[in-house]
Amino acid sequence: MKILGIETSCDETAAALVQDGRHVLSNVIASQIDIHTEYGGVVPEVAARSHIEVILPVIHQALDQANTTWDDIDGIAVTHGPGLLGSLLIGTMTARSIALARHKPLYAVNHVVAHTFANALIPQTAGFTPDLFPLLSLSASGKHSDLLLFESPLKYRLLGQSRDDAAGEAFDKVARLLGLAYPGGPKIDQMAPLGNPNVFKLPKANLGGSYDFSFSGLKTAVLRQLQAAVGGDFRTHSTEIPARLTDQQKHDMAASFQQTIYETMAGQLHRAYVEFQPKTVVIAGGVAASRRLREIVSQQIPLEMNYAPMQYCTDNGAMVAALGYHLAQAGHSVDPLTLKTNPSLEV
Ligand code: KG4
Ligand code: ZN
């Protein structure tokens, strides 16, 4: 079964063809990072316009690279939330139109859930076969941080989520204080090995046994300690900080911040592992591309850990198609005339 996956929830226009929920035949991603770097973050109106410009070429390229015609495609899966409204609309309207015109079943995918399915695209956990469940997933990206427990591919529950900033969002904001361009996660990942993680003592939120996350206090602590490090106080404007920091201070803060946030995330994952005893543990989302997070998780979880390659961790169409395959198997298609987008769609 071949499913076309379409993803436009934020700043990547992506389409992919995946066979049987596990074999990636093509995975085309048009990133808007260059456009948004200029503004230091994603500008929703600019993102939506850019999706309109490239969505059809991206889909055609996904078909061409997979050597596939419309006749060979068994269904279309599309992200309909959560995400930016204008961006989601371009993907869903395109998918709805194609489904109607080509008489294909349409499957509505939750972006947060789809991230976990990046792990169904690697040989070790191919297709998420029943023997892998229960499966525990830590999914962290620019917009969300969630702990999910899957009993089967389509039966899952949310154990915890971020009460304020998402992990990736905290990375992007701290990166800006260090004078690093958007997106900050990969740049902090590169800079952190040059610093000492014990120089800055940063707080971990105590949420009283819950599986939720909270990163906004950590982010404020970084700001206050950097203000102090440059000899200022709480009135020192954040835009003045990068130029007044030494390279060593930047490296030490990158290392300290990264260590604190990853220990928090891996700690919650480990607690859930102990409580629920899953057969498989995976990590997902853009932040899961981090080498250091993978090291810390591998140290904490006493199972053989497998990690998806970078291009499946950040936003892509293949993870959408992989979840779409399971929706197709279960016969969960939606009406292309009425499918709605939902920017705040919950798990
Ligand atoms: O999943 P994703 O591509 O998009 C959203 O759904 O938001 O995640 C993007 C986020 C950004 O905040 C980026 O800074 C972070 O993932 N990120 C990383 C790495 N690569 C991307 N964070 C840490 N280490 C990385 N290597
Ligand atoms: Zn995402």
Side-chain angles (χ1 to χ4, degrees):
M1 177 179 265
K2 284 183 191 167
I3 301 283
L4 170 67
I6 298 176
E7 158 60 45
T8 63
S9 67
C10 188
D11 59 344
E12 262 94 25
T13 318
L17 263 151
V18 175
Q19 186 156 8
D20 299 334
R22 68 191 76 178
H23 304 299
V24 181
L25 306 179
S26 63
N27 187 33
V28 179
I29 303 167
S31 171
Q32 303 174 6
I33 282 179
D34 293 349
I35 306 172
H36 299 293
T37 299
E38 201 180 318
Y39 304 100
V42 178
V43 184
E45 291 78 4
V46 176
R49 200 175 59 198
S50 177
H51 284 307
I52 296 180
E53 286 166 3
V54 300
I55 182 89
L56 291 177
V58 163
I59 291 173
H60 285 136
Q61 211 177 323
L63 289 173
D64 287 349
Q65 284 183 11
N67 240 329
T68 301
T69 65
W70 288 111
D71 289 342
D72 299 329
I73 291 176
D74 299 293
I76 301 170
V78 65
T79 299
H80 75 123
L84 301 170
L85 177 60
S87 294
L88 287 164
L89 274 171
I90 310 303
T92 46
M93 293 311 285
T94 306
R96 288 172 58 181
S97 309
I98 299 173
L100 279 170
R102 301 277 177 186
H103 307 291
K104 303 289 179 190
L106 182 64
Y107 303 100
V109 162
N110 180 314
H111 179 82
V112 172
V113 179
H115 265 298
T116 296
F117 285 74
N119 294 282
L121 303 171
I122 57 175
Q124 297 87 344
T125 39
F128 278 174
T129 45
D131 54 308
L132 298 168
F133 292 84
L135 178 148
L136 176 67
S137 174
L138 168 68
S139 181
S141 79
K143 300 284 171 300
H144 60 87
S145 313
D146 302 279
L147 263 178
L148 298 161
L149 185 65
F150 288 76
E151 268 176 51
S152 66
L154 299 182
K155 203 162 171 223
Y156 44 77
R157 69 190 168 104
L158 185 67
L159 300 178
Q161 63 187 333
S162 178
R163 294 188 185 177
D164 38 56
D165 288 5
E169 194 179 347
F171 266 98
D172 295 336
K173 288 176 179 166
V174 168
R176 211 182 307 179
L177 293 173
L178 300 178
L180 302 169
Y182 171 84
K187 298 188 181 69
I188 291 187
D189 209 29
Q190 281 162 13
M191 187 182 263
L194 307 171
N196 177 349
N198 302 314
V199 168
F200 293 98
K201 298 273 173 280
L202 296 167
K204 290 181 184 151
N206 178 354
L207 301 177
S210 140
Y211 284 113
D212 283 348
F213 300 95
S214 167
F215 298 122
S216 84
L218 170 62
K219 189 188 63 189
T220 306
V222 170
L223 172 63
R224 294 286 175 260
Q225 295 201 26
L226 290 179
Q227 285 168 324
V230 299
D233 63 18
F234 67 93
R235 287 164 299 194
T236 308
H237 200 274
S238 60
T239 53
E240 293 169 29
I241 292 175
R244 291 166 61 182
L245 287 169
T246 64
D247 281 349
Q248 193 57 51
Q249 284 172 319
K250 288 182 187 177
H251 299 164
D252 290 341
M253 182 52 93
S256 305
F257 168 72
Q258 193 189 59
Q259 188 71 12
T260 306
I261 197 163
Y262 287 161
E263 277 177 1
T264 305
M265 290 163 65
Q268 292 287 62
L269 186 66
H270 181 255
R271 272 203 322 116
Y273 169 78
V274 172
E275 179 170 349
F276 299 104
Q277 294 291 313
K279 283 205 190 121
T280 311
V281 176
V282 298
I283 62 172
V287 179
S290 159
R291 287 165 302 176
R292 184 71 190 125
L293 177 62
R294 292 173 178 208
E295 276 168 22
I296 296 178
V297 167
S298 291
Q299 283 161 9
Q300 296 227 358
I301 304 293
L303 293 176
E304 193 194 331
M305 291 295 298
N306 300 294
Y307 299 101
M310 171 84 181
Q311 71 269 25
Y312 301 152
C313 289
T314 50
D315 290 352
N316 66 85
M319 66 186 195
V320 175
L323 172 49
Y325 166 76
H326 291 279
L327 293 168
Q329 292 293 86
H332 290 176
S333 61
V334 293
D335 183 353
L337 283 172
T338 56
L339 175 64
K340 298 258 180 311
T341 53
N342 183 352
S344 39
L345 185 66
E346 294 192 350
V347 169

